[in-house]
Amino acid sequence: MKLCVMDFDSTLMDGETIDLIAETCGLGEKVSSITEAAMRGELDFFESLSQRASLLEGMDASVVEEVCATLPWMPGAKALAKALKAEGYKMMVFSGGFRNATKRAVSELGFDADFSNVLHAKEGKLSGLVGGDMMFDISKGDMLLRIQNILGVSKENTMVIGDGANDRSMFKHAGKRVAFCAKPILKEAANIIIDDKNLENVIEYL
């Protein structure tokens, strides 16, 4: 069995979900500056995620659903998903973003599972709190190890694809480590580097 795990924001999807949500209430620039610093590895991921979520307190939860329903796929995303299926890969999304968005990878692209976070809402408003599967710098690597054990997939038969610092933990446990339009800190951990913004370029490495 072969396994491919992909990051969501700026990898499978063309953009950063939390930045796009923040834009709807005029906080796009403030939130995106924190996102960028976190993806460069300059901020602790848990702290940066908590800080960004807190800025959204009071927003209508329905806005999150509306934004996530229209997020654009990265060029080549559908072609890569089709090729992975044809090669017999199990496909999963690991994201420090949100299930409102990542669940579409399962329903629209045929991924087998998605693991991400949830923006807490109460009485239809965001509370400013966030929780879930991917809250920490170590989360992706920890989840990957558990899934490899469950499925019986070796490191050599695992491919991971990401762009930011919080993808480093899963790069440690994969034979094929794809840095896709990535920050320098992730390129250092990769053995496949793709700087052209089209996921079809990954197909030749399957």
Side-chain angles (χ1 to χ4, degrees):
M1 184 180 291
K2 294 180 286 188
L3 173 65
C4 179
V5 176
M6 293 188 65
D7 171 49
F8 187 77
D9 294 311
S10 297
T11 301
L12 187 60
M13 188 274 291
D14 191 1
E16 292 286 334
T17 304
I18 196 165
D19 296 355
L20 296 171
I21 292 170
E23 284 179 9
T24 67
C25 60
L27 291 170
E29 187 173 333
K30 188 171 185 178
V31 170
S32 66
S33 66
I34 301 171
T35 301
E36 278 293 308
M39 291 304 99
R40 291 193 300 265
E42 297 169 3
L43 298 175
D44 176 83
F45 185 77
F46 173 75
E47 293 175 345
S48 71
L49 179 59
S50 300
Q51 183 180 357
R52 286 174 286 166
S54 72
L55 292 170
L56 304 179
E57 182 179 359
M59 176 184 287
D60 286 341
S62 61
V63 173
V64 176
E65 290 291 347
E66 291 168 8
V67 170
C68 291
T70 58
L71 294 172
W73 297 118
M74 187 67 70
K78 294 180 180 179
L80 176 58
K82 184 177 180 180
L84 285 165
K85 281 291 186 185
E87 291 291 328
Y89 278 84
K90 288 289 184 182
M91 305 188 305
M92 301 191 184
V93 171
F94 288 1
S95 176
F98 314 110
R99 289 219 67 222
N100 314 67
T102 61
K103 63 186 180 183
R104 288 179 52 211
V106 176
S107 62
E108 297 181 18
L109 298 183
F111 276 67
D112 295 288
D114 63 307
F115 298 87
S116 51
N117 300 317
V118 177
L119 287 167
H120 179 255
K122 190 173 183 179
E123 298 178 352
K125 302 285 187 179
L126 296 188
S127 69
L129 300 175
V130 60
D133 301 316
M134 296 287 157
M135 294 288 292
F136 304 97
D137 284 313
I138 65 167
S139 294
K140 293 186 179 184
D142 181 62
M143 184 67 76
L144 177 54
L145 279 175
R146 284 185 276 170
I147 289 175
Q148 286 172 327
N149 288 334
I150 290 169
L151 297 179
V153 180
S154 67
K155 176 179 178 178
E156 291 70 30
N157 284 333
T158 300
M159 169 183 274
V160 293
I161 308 171
D163 75 301
N166 69 322
D167 295 312
R168 287 176 297 172
S169 65
M170 67 176 179
F171 271 42
K172 298 175 184 177
H173 309 296
K176 295 178 182 178
R177 305 179 296 279
V178 183
F180 179 77
C181 298
K183 301 293 186 291
I185 195 169
L186 190 67
K187 288 183 178 181
E188 293 173 4
N191 56 13
I192 299 169
I193 296 175
I194 295 173
D195 287 323
D196 180 32
K197 196 176 176 181
N198 190 325
L199 285 171
E200 287 190 57
N201 292 307
V202 178
I203 294 175
E204 67 180 282
Y205 298 102
L206 300 184

